[in-house]
Amino acid sequence: MLHGYTPPQRFLPYLSWTDIDALEDKANTVIVLPVGAIEQHGPHMPCATDAIIAAGVVGKALEKLPAVVPAFALPPITYGKSDEHLHFPGTVTLTGEILLHTIQEIGESVYRSGFRKLIMVNAHGGQPQPLEMAARELRLRHGDFMIIARSAWSVQVDTSFMSEQERQMGMHAGHGETAILMQLAPETLHMERAEAHYPPPFPCPTLSSTRPAAAWTARDFGPTGVVGDPTGATPEQGAQLLEQLSNQWAQAITEVHQARWIEREVMSWGRSQFNGHIESRN
């Protein structure tokens, strides 16, 4: 079914429009949008890795919420801005502009339905900028809209089981992503094909002594598409990561529900046309 990892009672599209219209305190109900991508993840992982992780972390987090915290997931965005991987078959990419406008249109729909809190949980490292730009634009349009765009991995987790090199240089299809897929979708993995590969040291240490400071594509670092070391990943590590990520996101969703964010009454110049909303039938 469409809800995937999300509990069906927490999946917004399973409600009718009248159910949504009748929800209490929609202004403090949290809508969560998983954002992933379809892009190569080396020979051992599926192209859907980022979409699976985004949907899985959000779904497991919502599963842990007490019933008194109103929060719902939207279907995940599975296509993202993945042009750094377009040299590899299976990568399906949008432009940054299309992704930005897609997020804006989804945000407008959420706002028009009466909701005022939106969290985007992004599992693809190549697209935070369009999400953040869309969030800022939505905030300019609507002074009572609280929009958060964050990486799925931005919450605190224990990665002490990884090597120091992996923590500093692992960027794609490495230890962490492989371990968590062992929990969320083990049938999609081919660990017999897993191999490690790291980028060379960046030649401008003033700007970075670890990850590249220059723009890069996955092909720049070799033919496999892997940037990291997946070979040491275990299901136990994946269970630990998923537990920590979902716990932290459940806490974040609870805090956003409870939060009272700044409301701006003054119009943003040139954006007053976006203040319309759906009138309640009540």
Side-chain angles (χ1 to χ4, degrees):
M1 290 289 287
L2 189 62
H3 62 276
Y5 300 97
T6 298
Q9 71 275 16
R10 294 282 191 180
F11 194 61
L12 190 69
Y14 284 175
L15 278 62
S16 70
W17 78 263
T18 54
D19 292 333
I20 295 173
D21 192 47
L23 287 173
E24 297 181 0
D25 195 19
K26 282 194 284 187
N28 292 303
T29 296
V30 184
I31 304 302
V32 189
L33 175 63
V35 185
I38 303 297
E39 59 184 40
Q40 71 83 21
H41 270 72
H44 72 290
M45 299 189 79
C47 292
T49 290
D50 291 340
I52 292 170
I53 291 175
V57 168
V58 168
K60 297 299 181 182
L62 290 172
E63 193 176 84
K64 294 180 175 182
L65 285 181
V68 295
V69 177
F72 297 92
L74 288 171
I77 293 180
T78 52
Y79 303 116
K81 178 186 174 295
S82 300
D83 48 2
E84 71 269 35
H85 301 288
L86 56 74
H87 301 95
F88 296 85
T91 296
V92 180
T93 184
L94 306 178
T95 65
E97 184 179 21
I98 289 176
L99 179 60
L100 184 152
H101 288 301
T102 299
I103 295 295
Q104 287 176 350
E105 294 302 318
I106 291 172
E108 287 292 344
S109 298
V110 167
Y111 187 89
R112 208 163 44 239
S113 295
F115 301 106
R116 297 295 182 264
K117 293 180 177 180
L118 172 64
I119 300 176
M120 290 177 273
V121 180
N122 172 40
H124 169 39
Q127 62 192 17
Q129 295 85 358
L131 304 188
E132 292 166 358
M133 291 168 67
R136 181 63 56 80
E137 173 63 23
L138 288 165
R139 176 63 181 181
L140 285 168
R141 294 177 182 181
H142 305 296
D144 58 346
F145 205 1
M146 184 179 184
I147 315 107
I148 297 170
R150 298 285 286 176
S151 167
W153 300 90
S154 64
V155 294
Q156 187 173 357
V157 293
D158 178 13
T159 58
S160 59
F161 56 82
M162 299 183 192
S163 69
E164 183 65 22
Q165 185 180 26
E166 181 69 8
R167 287 198 295 271
Q168 290 188 352
M169 300 293 287
M171 295 186 290
H172 189 73
H175 198 147
E177 287 187 319
T178 302
I180 204 167
L181 257 288
M182 288 178 172
Q183 287 297 313
L184 290 173
E187 69 280 5
T188 67
L189 293 174
H190 300 277
M191 291 306 294
E192 73 280 4
R193 306 176 192 165
E195 57 182 270
H197 190 84
Y198 290 108
F202 191 65
C204 180
T206 300
L207 296 181
S208 176
S209 59
T210 55
R211 297 187 177 195
W216 56 270
T217 75
R219 181 64 83 187
D220 295 335
F221 302 139
T224 70
V226 174
V227 189
D229 185 0
T231 59
T234 68
E236 293 75 21
Q237 293 165 352
Q240 175 184 326
L241 280 175
L242 186 58
E243 179 73 6
Q244 292 179 14
L245 286 168
S246 57
N247 282 342
Q248 290 283 294
W249 276 108
Q251 180 63 28
I253 293 167
T254 300
E255 291 169 358
V256 171
H257 160 61
Q258 297 169 343
R260 298 298 178 262
W261 186 233
I262 300 163
E263 293 191 12
R264 189 191 68 255
E265 296 181 358
V266 178
M267 300 296 182
S268 293
W269 183 85
R271 293 176 171 83
S272 59
Q273 71 271 27
F274 293 106
N275 287 333
H277 64 278
I278 294 175
E279 294 286 353
S280 174
R281 296 181 300 114
N282 297 329

